[in-house]
Amino acid sequence: MKMEDTAKELKRLYKSLNKDLQRFVSALNKNGAGWYIEENQLYTKMFTCECPMLEEAALSQSLTWCHCTAGYNKKLFELVFETPVDVEIMQSIRQGFDYCLLRVTFSKDCILSS
């Protein structure tokens, strides 16, 4: 599925829940997403490495390869939430963790602060 299609589906769900981020996260977690909100930031877990370039890669402590994933998710979440966000990779499967963890920080006009 293309990013635009994924964003469209997520945005549709988000809007159908009256742009209530807590309800949005709960709805996604019913399908095993592993998202949560902590200290006014959204955290999302990825249980498989989505990067085709890393299929055969060995474990590494470096997150350099994961910057592409951060950029992809930045664009995705900006389309869904219609606000600027920053995305940081907190941990990666390639570092030996069971899942990748991304932290999404919203702009100061944060949708979480309402």
Side-chain angles (χ1 to χ4, degrees), residues 3-59:
M3 177 195 337
E4 293 81 8
D5 295 334
T6 301
K8 185 177 180 180
E9 287 301 311
L10 290 174
K11 187 175 185 175
R12 181 194 56 74
L13 175 62
Y14 179 61
K15 285 185 171 186
S16 76
L17 297 169
N18 297 317
K19 296 185 176 182
D20 182 320
L21 190 61
Q22 292 284 355
R23 289 177 58 207
F24 178 70
V25 167
S26 292
L28 291 171
N29 284 341
K30 287 179 184 174
N31 295 321
W35 292 20
Y36 61 96
I37 299 167
E38 186 176 282
E39 296 183 13
N40 213 31
Q41 296 172 321
L42 173 65
Y43 290 82
T44 178
K45 295 178 183 178
M46 298 170 64
F47 296 100
T48 58
C49 180
E50 303 287 330
C51 181
M53 295 183 68
L54 294 178
E55 287 177 2
E56 302 295 322
L59 296 179

Short mmCIF file of all heavy atoms in Angstrom, two decimals, residues 3-59:
data_model
loop_
_atom_site.label_atom_id
_atom_site.label_comp_id
_atom_site.label_asym_id
_atom_site.label_seq_id
_atom_site.Cartn_x
_atom_site.Cartn_y
_atom_site.Cartn_z
N MET A 3 2.06 5.15 0.69
CA MET A 3 1.95 6.02 1.87
C MET A 3 0.68 6.85 1.81
O MET A 3 -0.01 6.99 2.82
CB MET A 3 3.15 6.96 2.00
CG MET A 3 2.97 7.89 3.19
SD MET A 3 4.02 9.34 3.34
CE MET A 3 5.44 9.02 2.43
N GLU A 4 0.36 7.40 0.66
CA GLU A 4 -0.83 8.26 0.55
C GLU A 4 -2.10 7.49 0.87
O GLU A 4 -3.01 8.01 1.49
CB GLU A 4 -0.92 8.88 -0.85
CG GLU A 4 0.18 9.87 -1.14
CD GLU A 4 1.51 9.24 -1.57
OE1 GLU A 4 1.57 8.00 -1.80
OE2 GLU A 4 2.50 9.99 -1.65
N ASP A 5 -2.15 6.21 0.45
CA ASP A 5 -3.32 5.38 0.74
C ASP A 5 -3.41 5.06 2.24
O ASP A 5 -4.49 5.11 2.83
CB ASP A 5 -3.27 4.08 -0.06
CG ASP A 5 -3.38 4.32 -1.56
OD1 ASP A 5 -3.97 5.35 -1.97
OD2 ASP A 5 -2.85 3.49 -2.32
N THR A 6 -2.26 4.75 2.84
CA THR A 6 -2.22 4.49 4.27
C THR A 6 -2.65 5.73 5.04
O THR A 6 -3.46 5.66 5.97
CB THR A 6 -0.80 4.05 4.70
OG1 THR A 6 -0.45 2.87 3.97
CG2 THR A 6 -0.73 3.79 6.19
N ALA A 7 -2.10 6.88 4.65
CA ALA A 7 -2.45 8.15 5.32
C ALA A 7 -3.93 8.44 5.18
O ALA A 7 -4.57 8.88 6.15
CB ALA A 7 -1.62 9.29 4.75
N LYS A 8 -4.48 8.18 4.02
CA LYS A 8 -5.91 8.44 3.78
C LYS A 8 -6.77 7.59 4.71
O LYS A 8 -7.72 8.08 5.31
CB LYS A 8 -6.24 8.15 2.32
CG LYS A 8 -7.64 8.48 1.92
CD LYS A 8 -7.86 8.22 0.44
CE LYS A 8 -9.25 8.56 0.01
NZ LYS A 8 -9.45 8.31 -1.44
N GLU A 9 -6.41 6.32 4.86
CA GLU A 9 -7.18 5.42 5.74
C GLU A 9 -7.04 5.82 7.20
O GLU A 9 -8.03 5.85 7.94
CB GLU A 9 -6.73 3.97 5.53
CG GLU A 9 -7.20 3.38 4.23
CD GLU A 9 -8.71 3.40 4.08
OE1 GLU A 9 -9.42 2.96 5.02
OE2 GLU A 9 -9.20 3.86 3.04
N LEU A 10 -5.82 6.14 7.63
CA LEU A 10 -5.62 6.56 9.01
C LEU A 10 -6.32 7.89 9.30
O LEU A 10 -6.93 8.06 10.36
CB LEU A 10 -4.12 6.67 9.32
CG LEU A 10 -3.35 5.36 9.40
CD1 LEU A 10 -1.87 5.63 9.55
CD2 LEU A 10 -3.87 4.49 10.53
N LYS A 11 -6.26 8.80 8.35
CA LYS A 11 -6.91 10.10 8.52
C LYS A 11 -8.43 9.93 8.60
O LYS A 11 -9.10 10.57 9.41
CB LYS A 11 -6.53 11.02 7.36
CG LYS A 11 -7.01 12.43 7.51
CD LYS A 11 -6.46 13.26 6.35
CE LYS A 11 -6.79 14.71 6.48
NZ LYS A 11 -6.16 15.50 5.41
N ARG A 12 -8.98 9.04 7.77
CA ARG A 12 -10.41 8.76 7.80
C ARG A 12 -10.82 8.25 9.18
O ARG A 12 -11.79 8.72 9.78
CB ARG A 12 -10.78 7.75 6.71
CG ARG A 12 -12.26 7.42 6.65
CD ARG A 12 -12.56 6.18 5.82
NE ARG A 12 -11.85 4.99 6.27
CZ ARG A 12 -12.13 4.29 7.36
NH1 ARG A 12 -13.11 4.67 8.16
NH2 ARG A 12 -11.45 3.21 7.68
N LEU A 13 -10.03 7.31 9.73
CA LEU A 13 -10.32 6.79 11.06
C LEU A 13 -10.22 7.88 12.11
O LEU A 13 -11.09 8.03 12.95
CB LEU A 13 -9.37 5.63 11.39
CG LEU A 13 -9.48 5.06 12.80
CD1 LEU A 13 -10.87 4.44 13.04
CD2 LEU A 13 -8.38 4.02 13.03
N TYR A 14 -9.15 8.67 12.05
CA TYR A 14 -8.92 9.75 13.01
C TYR A 14 -10.08 10.74 13.00
O TYR A 14 -10.62 11.11 14.06
CB TYR A 14 -7.60 10.43 12.67
CG TYR A 14 -7.22 11.58 13.55
CD1 TYR A 14 -7.02 11.41 14.92
CD2 TYR A 14 -7.03 12.84 13.02
CE1 TYR A 14 -6.65 12.48 15.73
CE2 TYR A 14 -6.65 13.91 13.82
CZ TYR A 14 -6.48 13.72 15.17
OH TYR A 14 -6.11 14.77 15.96
N LYS A 15 -10.52 11.13 11.81
CA LYS A 15 -11.64 12.07 11.71
C LYS A 15 -12.95 11.44 12.17
O LYS A 15 -13.78 12.11 12.77
CB LYS A 15 -11.77 12.59 10.27
CG LYS A 15 -10.70 13.59 9.92
CD LYS A 15 -10.93 14.18 8.54
CE LYS A 15 -9.99 15.34 8.29
NZ LYS A 15 -10.29 16.02 7.02
N SER A 16 -13.13 10.14 11.91
CA SER A 16 -14.37 9.46 12.33
C SER A 16 -14.48 9.40 13.85
O SER A 16 -15.57 9.22 14.39
CB SER A 16 -14.45 8.05 11.73
OG SER A 16 -13.59 7.16 12.42
N LEU A 17 -13.34 9.55 14.53
CA LEU A 17 -13.31 9.54 15.99
C LEU A 17 -13.22 10.96 16.54
O LEU A 17 -12.73 11.19 17.66
CB LEU A 17 -12.14 8.69 16.49
CG LEU A 17 -12.21 7.21 16.10
CD1 LEU A 17 -10.91 6.50 16.38
CD2 LEU A 17 -13.38 6.53 16.79
N ASN A 18 -13.69 11.92 15.75
CA ASN A 18 -13.72 13.34 16.13
C ASN A 18 -12.35 13.89 16.50
O ASN A 18 -12.22 14.71 17.42
CB ASN A 18 -14.72 13.59 17.27
CG ASN A 18 -16.13 13.26 16.86
OD1 ASN A 18 -16.55 13.60 15.75
ND2 ASN A 18 -16.85 12.58 17.72
N LYS A 19 -11.33 13.39 15.82
CA LYS A 19 -9.95 13.83 16.04
C LYS A 19 -9.52 13.68 17.50
O LYS A 19 -8.75 14.45 18.02
CB LYS A 19 -9.74 15.26 15.55
CG LYS A 19 -9.93 15.42 14.06
CD LYS A 19 -9.59 16.82 13.61
CE LYS A 19 -9.70 16.95 12.10
NZ LYS A 19 -9.32 18.29 11.65
N ASP A 20 -10.03 12.65 18.13
CA ASP A 20 -9.68 12.33 19.51
C ASP A 20 -8.51 11.33 19.46
O ASP A 20 -8.70 10.16 19.12
CB ASP A 20 -10.89 11.72 20.22
CG ASP A 20 -10.62 11.39 21.68
OD1 ASP A 20 -9.51 10.90 22.01
OD2 ASP A 20 -11.53 11.60 22.50
N LEU A 21 -7.33 11.81 19.78
CA LEU A 21 -6.13 10.99 19.64
C LEU A 21 -6.16 9.76 20.54
O LEU A 21 -5.73 8.69 20.14
CB LEU A 21 -4.87 11.82 19.90
CG LEU A 21 -3.56 11.13 19.54
CD1 LEU A 21 -3.49 10.79 18.06
CD2 LEU A 21 -2.39 12.00 19.93
N GLN A 22 -6.69 9.90 21.75
CA GLN A 22 -6.78 8.74 22.65
C GLN A 22 -7.64 7.64 22.03
O GLN A 22 -7.26 6.47 22.06
CB GLN A 22 -7.37 9.17 24.01
CG GLN A 22 -6.49 10.07 24.82
CD GLN A 22 -5.32 9.35 25.48
OE1 GLN A 22 -5.20 8.13 25.43
NE2 GLN A 22 -4.44 10.11 26.09
N ARG A 23 -8.78 8.01 21.50
CA ARG A 23 -9.67 7.02 20.87
C ARG A 23 -9.04 6.44 19.62
O ARG A 23 -9.19 5.25 19.33
CB ARG A 23 -11.02 7.67 20.55
CG ARG A 23 -11.83 7.96 21.80
CD ARG A 23 -13.14 8.65 21.51
NE ARG A 23 -13.97 7.88 20.60
CZ ARG A 23 -14.89 8.42 19.79
NH1 ARG A 23 -15.10 9.72 19.79
NH2 ARG A 23 -15.61 7.66 19.00
N PHE A 24 -8.31 7.26 18.85
CA PHE A 24 -7.61 6.82 17.65
C PHE A 24 -6.57 5.76 18.00
O PHE A 24 -6.52 4.69 17.39
CB PHE A 24 -6.97 8.04 16.98
CG PHE A 24 -6.16 7.75 15.75
CD1 PHE A 24 -6.77 7.35 14.57
CD2 PHE A 24 -4.79 7.92 15.75
CE1 PHE A 24 -6.03 7.12 13.42
CE2 PHE A 24 -4.03 7.70 14.62
CZ PHE A 24 -4.66 7.29 13.45
N VAL A 25 -5.77 6.04 19.01
CA VAL A 25 -4.74 5.10 19.45
C VAL A 25 -5.39 3.81 19.94
O VAL A 25 -4.95 2.71 19.61
CB VAL A 25 -3.85 5.74 20.54
CG1 VAL A 25 -2.99 4.71 21.24
CG2 VAL A 25 -2.97 6.83 19.92
N SER A 26 -6.46 3.93 20.71
CA SER A 26 -7.17 2.74 21.21
C SER A 26 -7.71 1.89 20.06
O SER A 26 -7.60 0.66 20.08
CB SER A 26 -8.32 3.14 22.13
OG SER A 26 -7.82 3.71 23.31
N ALA A 27 -8.27 2.55 19.04
CA ALA A 27 -8.80 1.82 17.89
C ALA A 27 -7.69 1.07 17.15
O ALA A 27 -7.86 -0.09 16.75
CB ALA A 27 -9.52 2.79 16.94
N LEU A 28 -6.56 1.72 16.98
CA LEU A 28 -5.44 1.06 16.29
C LEU A 28 -4.88 -0.09 17.12
O LEU A 28 -4.50 -1.13 16.57
CB LEU A 28 -4.34 2.08 15.98
CG LEU A 28 -4.71 3.10 14.91
CD1 LEU A 28 -3.66 4.19 14.82
CD2 LEU A 28 -4.90 2.43 13.55
N ASN A 29 -4.86 0.08 18.43
CA ASN A 29 -4.32 -0.96 19.29
C ASN A 29 -5.19 -2.21 19.33
O ASN A 29 -4.71 -3.29 19.62
CB ASN A 29 -4.07 -0.42 20.70
CG ASN A 29 -2.84 0.45 20.75
OD1 ASN A 29 -1.97 0.39 19.87
ND2 ASN A 29 -2.74 1.27 21.77
N LYS A 30 -6.47 -2.05 19.02
CA LYS A 30 -7.35 -3.22 18.94
C LYS A 30 -6.88 -4.18 17.85
O LYS A 30 -7.17 -5.36 17.89
CB LYS A 30 -8.80 -2.80 18.69
CG LYS A 30 -9.45 -2.18 19.89
CD LYS A 30 -10.87 -1.76 19.61
CE LYS A 30 -11.46 -1.07 20.82
NZ LYS A 30 -12.79 -0.52 20.53
N ASN A 31 -6.14 -3.63 16.88
CA ASN A 31 -5.59 -4.45 15.79
C ASN A 31 -4.12 -4.77 16.02
O ASN A 31 -3.41 -5.15 15.09
CB ASN A 31 -5.77 -3.73 14.45
CG ASN A 31 -7.22 -3.58 14.08
OD1 ASN A 31 -8.01 -4.49 14.30
ND2 ASN A 31 -7.59 -2.44 13.54
N GLY A 32 -3.63 -4.56 17.25
CA GLY A 32 -2.26 -4.93 17.60
C GLY A 32 -1.19 -3.91 17.27
O GLY A 32 -0.02 -4.26 17.14
N ALA A 33 -1.56 -2.63 17.16
CA ALA A 33 -0.59 -1.61 16.74
C ALA A 33 0.47 -1.30 17.79
O ALA A 33 1.60 -1.01 17.44
CB ALA A 33 -1.32 -0.32 16.35
N GLY A 34 0.16 -1.33 19.06
CA GLY A 34 1.16 -1.05 20.10
C GLY A 34 1.51 0.42 20.23
O GLY A 34 2.65 0.77 20.49
N TRP A 35 0.54 1.30 20.04
CA TRP A 35 0.77 2.75 20.16
C TRP A 35 0.40 3.20 21.57
O TRP A 35 -0.45 2.60 22.22
CB TRP A 35 -0.08 3.52 19.16
CG TRP A 35 0.29 3.33 17.73
CD1 TRP A 35 1.02 2.31 17.17
CD2 TRP A 35 -0.07 4.18 16.64
NE1 TRP A 35 1.13 2.48 15.82
CE2 TRP A 35 0.47 3.62 15.47
CE3 TRP A 35 -0.80 5.34 16.55
CZ2 TRP A 35 0.31 4.20 14.21
CZ3 TRP A 35 -0.96 5.92 15.30
CH2 TRP A 35 -0.41 5.36 14.15
N TYR A 36 1.02 4.28 22.02
CA TYR A 36 0.64 4.86 23.31
C TYR A 36 1.03 6.34 23.35
O TYR A 36 1.84 6.80 22.54
CB TYR A 36 1.24 4.09 24.49
CG TYR A 36 2.74 4.05 24.56
CD1 TYR A 36 3.47 4.96 25.33
CD2 TYR A 36 3.46 3.08 23.85
CE1 TYR A 36 4.85 4.91 25.40
CE2 TYR A 36 4.84 3.02 23.92
CZ TYR A 36 5.53 3.94 24.70
OH TYR A 36 6.89 3.88 24.75
N ILE A 37 0.42 7.05 24.29
CA ILE A 37 0.69 8.48 24.48
C ILE A 37 1.33 8.63 25.85
O ILE A 37 0.82 8.09 26.84
CB ILE A 37 -0.60 9.30 24.39
CG1 ILE A 37 -1.25 9.13 23.01
CG2 ILE A 37 -0.34 10.78 24.69
CD1 ILE A 37 -2.67 9.62 22.93
N GLU A 38 2.43 9.36 25.88
CA GLU A 38 3.14 9.59 27.14
C GLU A 38 3.76 10.97 27.09
O GLU A 38 4.43 11.32 26.11
CB GLU A 38 4.21 8.52 27.32
CG GLU A 38 4.92 8.55 28.65
CD GLU A 38 5.89 7.40 28.77
OE1 GLU A 38 5.42 6.27 29.04
OE2 GLU A 38 7.09 7.63 28.57
N GLU A 39 3.55 11.75 28.15
CA GLU A 39 4.12 13.09 28.26
C GLU A 39 3.91 13.92 26.99
O GLU A 39 4.83 14.51 26.44
CB GLU A 39 5.60 13.00 28.62
CG GLU A 39 5.83 12.39 29.99
CD GLU A 39 7.30 12.38 30.37
OE1 GLU A 39 8.11 13.04 29.73
OE2 GLU A 39 7.61 11.69 31.35
N ASN A 40 2.67 13.91 26.51
CA ASN A 40 2.26 14.73 25.37
C ASN A 40 2.96 14.36 24.06
O ASN A 40 3.14 15.19 23.18
CB ASN A 40 2.46 16.22 25.68
CG ASN A 40 1.41 17.07 25.01
OD1 ASN A 40 0.28 16.64 24.82
ND2 ASN A 40 1.77 18.28 24.64
N GLN A 41 3.38 13.10 23.96
CA GLN A 41 3.99 12.61 22.73
C GLN A 41 3.37 11.26 22.38
O GLN A 41 2.95 10.51 23.25
CB GLN A 41 5.51 12.46 22.90
CG GLN A 41 6.18 13.81 23.13
CD GLN A 41 7.65 13.66 23.49
OE1 GLN A 41 8.04 12.76 24.20
NE2 GLN A 41 8.45 14.57 22.97
N LEU A 42 3.32 10.99 21.09
CA LEU A 42 2.79 9.72 20.59
C LEU A 42 3.95 8.78 20.32
O LEU A 42 4.93 9.17 19.70
CB LEU A 42 2.00 9.97 19.30
CG LEU A 42 1.50 8.75 18.54
CD1 LEU A 42 0.48 7.98 19.37
CD2 LEU A 42 0.90 9.17 17.20
N TYR A 43 3.83 7.57 20.81
CA TYR A 43 4.84 6.54 20.55
C TYR A 43 4.18 5.44 19.73
O TYR A 43 3.06 5.03 20.03
CB TYR A 43 5.38 5.96 21.85
CG TYR A 43 6.24 6.92 22.62
CD1 TYR A 43 5.66 7.89 23.45
CD2 TYR A 43 7.62 6.88 22.52
CE1 TYR A 43 6.44 8.78 24.16
CE2 TYR A 43 8.42 7.77 23.23
CZ TYR A 43 7.82 8.72 24.04
OH TYR A 43 8.60 9.60 24.74
N THR A 44 4.89 4.98 18.72
CA THR A 44 4.36 3.91 17.89
C THR A 44 5.40 2.81 17.76
O THR A 44 6.59 3.08 17.60
CB THR A 44 3.90 4.42 16.51
OG1 THR A 44 3.43 3.33 15.73
CG2 THR A 44 5.01 5.12 15.77
N LYS A 45 4.94 1.59 17.87
CA LYS A 45 5.82 0.42 17.76
C LYS A 45 5.63 -0.21 16.38
O LYS A 45 4.52 -0.30 15.88
CB LYS A 45 5.47 -0.62 18.83
CG LYS A 45 5.72 -0.16 20.24
CD LYS A 45 5.32 -1.23 21.23
CE LYS A 45 5.49 -0.77 22.66
NZ LYS A 45 5.04 -1.79 23.61
N MET A 46 6.74 -0.65 15.83
CA MET A 46 6.72 -1.40 14.57
C MET A 46 7.33 -2.76 14.89
O MET A 46 8.48 -2.83 15.32
CB MET A 46 7.52 -0.66 13.50
CG MET A 46 6.94 0.70 13.17
SD MET A 46 8.01 1.70 12.12
CE MET A 46 8.03 0.73 10.64
N PHE A 47 6.57 -3.82 14.69
CA PHE A 47 6.99 -5.15 15.11
C PHE A 47 7.78 -5.90 14.05
O PHE A 47 8.28 -6.99 14.30
CB PHE A 47 5.78 -5.96 15.58
CG PHE A 47 5.13 -5.35 16.79
CD1 PHE A 47 3.99 -4.58 16.68
CD2 PHE A 47 5.70 -5.50 18.05
CE1 PHE A 47 3.41 -3.99 17.80
CE2 PHE A 47 5.13 -4.93 19.17
CZ PHE A 47 3.97 -4.17 19.04
N THR A 48 7.87 -5.32 12.85
CA THR A 48 8.71 -5.87 11.79
C THR A 48 9.49 -4.72 11.16
O THR A 48 9.02 -3.59 11.13
CB THR A 48 7.89 -6.57 10.69
OG1 THR A 48 6.97 -5.64 10.12
CG2 THR A 48 7.13 -7.76 11.24
N CYS A 49 10.67 -5.02 10.70
CA CYS A 49 11.47 -4.01 10.00
C CYS A 49 10.89 -3.85 8.61
O CYS A 49 10.82 -4.81 7.84
CB CYS A 49 12.94 -4.43 9.94
SG CYS A 49 13.96 -3.21 9.11
N GLU A 50 10.46 -2.65 8.28
CA GLU A 50 9.82 -2.37 7.00
C GLU A 50 10.83 -2.04 5.91
O GLU A 50 10.46 -1.88 4.76
CB GLU A 50 8.84 -1.20 7.15
CG GLU A 50 7.77 -1.41 8.21
CD GLU A 50 6.71 -2.40 7.79
OE1 GLU A 50 6.44 -2.50 6.59
OE2 GLU A 50 6.17 -3.08 8.68
N CYS A 51 12.10 -1.93 6.26
CA CYS A 51 13.11 -1.47 5.31
C CYS A 51 13.63 -2.63 4.46
O CYS A 51 14.29 -3.54 4.99
CB CYS A 51 14.27 -0.81 6.05
SG CYS A 51 15.54 -0.19 4.92
N PRO A 52 13.39 -2.60 3.15
CA PRO A 52 13.87 -3.70 2.30
C PRO A 52 15.39 -3.73 2.19
O PRO A 52 15.96 -4.77 1.91
CB PRO A 52 13.21 -3.39 0.94
CG PRO A 52 12.92 -1.94 0.97
CD PRO A 52 12.65 -1.59 2.41
N MET A 53 16.05 -2.61 2.45
CA MET A 53 17.51 -2.58 2.37
C MET A 53 18.16 -3.32 3.53
O MET A 53 19.33 -3.67 3.46
CB MET A 53 18.00 -1.13 2.32
CG MET A 53 17.55 -0.40 1.08
SD MET A 53 18.20 1.26 1.00
CE MET A 53 19.93 0.91 0.76
N LEU A 54 17.42 -3.56 4.59
CA LEU A 54 17.99 -4.18 5.78
C LEU A 54 17.61 -5.64 5.96
O LEU A 54 17.91 -6.24 6.99
CB LEU A 54 17.58 -3.39 7.02
CG LEU A 54 18.14 -1.98 7.10
CD1 LEU A 54 17.63 -1.28 8.35
CD2 LEU A 54 19.66 -1.99 7.08
N GLU A 55 16.96 -6.23 4.95
CA GLU A 55 16.50 -7.60 5.08
C GLU A 55 17.63 -8.56 5.45
O GLU A 55 17.45 -9.48 6.22
CB GLU A 55 15.83 -8.07 3.80
CG GLU A 55 14.47 -7.46 3.59
CD GLU A 55 13.83 -7.86 2.27
OE1 GLU A 55 14.43 -8.65 1.52
OE2 GLU A 55 12.73 -7.38 1.99
N GLU A 56 18.81 -8.35 4.89
CA GLU A 56 19.94 -9.24 5.13
C GLU A 56 20.99 -8.62 6.06
O GLU A 56 22.05 -9.20 6.27
CB GLU A 56 20.61 -9.62 3.80
CG GLU A 56 19.66 -10.29 2.81
CD GLU A 56 19.17 -11.64 3.29
OE1 GLU A 56 19.96 -12.38 3.92
OE2 GLU A 56 17.99 -11.95 3.06
N ALA A 57 20.71 -7.45 6.62
CA ALA A 57 21.70 -6.73 7.43
C ALA A 57 21.89 -7.38 8.79
O ALA A 57 20.96 -7.95 9.36
CB ALA A 57 21.28 -5.28 7.59
N ALA A 58 23.07 -7.24 9.30
CA ALA A 58 23.38 -7.71 10.64
C ALA A 58 22.91 -6.68 11.66
O ALA A 58 22.57 -5.55 11.31
CB ALA A 58 24.89 -7.93 10.78
N LEU A 59 22.90 -7.07 12.92
CA LEU A 59 22.55 -6.14 13.99
C LEU A 59 23.60 -5.03 14.07
O LEU A 59 24.78 -5.26 13.80
CB LEU A 59 22.45 -6.85 15.33
CG LEU A 59 21.36 -7.90 15.47
CD1 LEU A 59 21.40 -8.53 16.86
CD2 LEU A 59 19.99 -7.32 15.20
#
